[in-house]
Amino acid sequence: CNQCGKCCIKYSSGGLSASANEILWWDIARPHIYNHVSNGKIWADPDTGKPLDLCPWLRKHPNNVYTCDIYFDRPDDC
């Protein structure tokens, strides 16, 4: 990974999924992540449940470097 963000941006809009075990783990141990799950799908607006266009955990830094706020808890699909 060269932290360009291309993969995260390309697959953010409904292109990624999480397993039932990952979702259960978030529900138990990472509720801030679980709040972005709706009907077993990631990533959703916590208030409306509607799918987000971009992963809520992707951060853009100066010099076009991207990082993941949940890197160690991200779904295997990532």
Side-chain angles (χ1 to χ4, degrees), residues 2-76:
N2 63 10
Q3 297 181 313
C4 69
K6 289 179 184 175
C7 295
C8 295
I9 293 167
K10 180 178 179 180
Y11 296 109
S12 275
S13 187
L16 295 172
S17 63
S19 71
N21 286 338
E22 289 169 325
I23 292 171
L24 179 61
W25 162 249
W26 295 332
D27 186 23
I28 294 167
R30 302 291 188 264
H32 67 288
I33 299 173
Y34 183 76
N35 286 340
H36 290 276
V37 177
S38 179
N39 297 319
K41 305 237 183 229
I42 62 171
W43 301 113
D45 182 294
D47 296 322
T48 67
K50 292 184 180 185
L52 296 171
D53 291 329
L54 191 62
C55 175
W57 313 111
L58 183 64
R59 294 291 168 254
K60 184 176 180 181
H61 301 276
N63 300 324
N64 293 322
V65 171
Y66 290 82
T67 58
C68 174
D69 285 350
I70 62 164
Y71 185 82
F72 295 106
D73 294 312
R74 71 194 187 283
D76 287 340

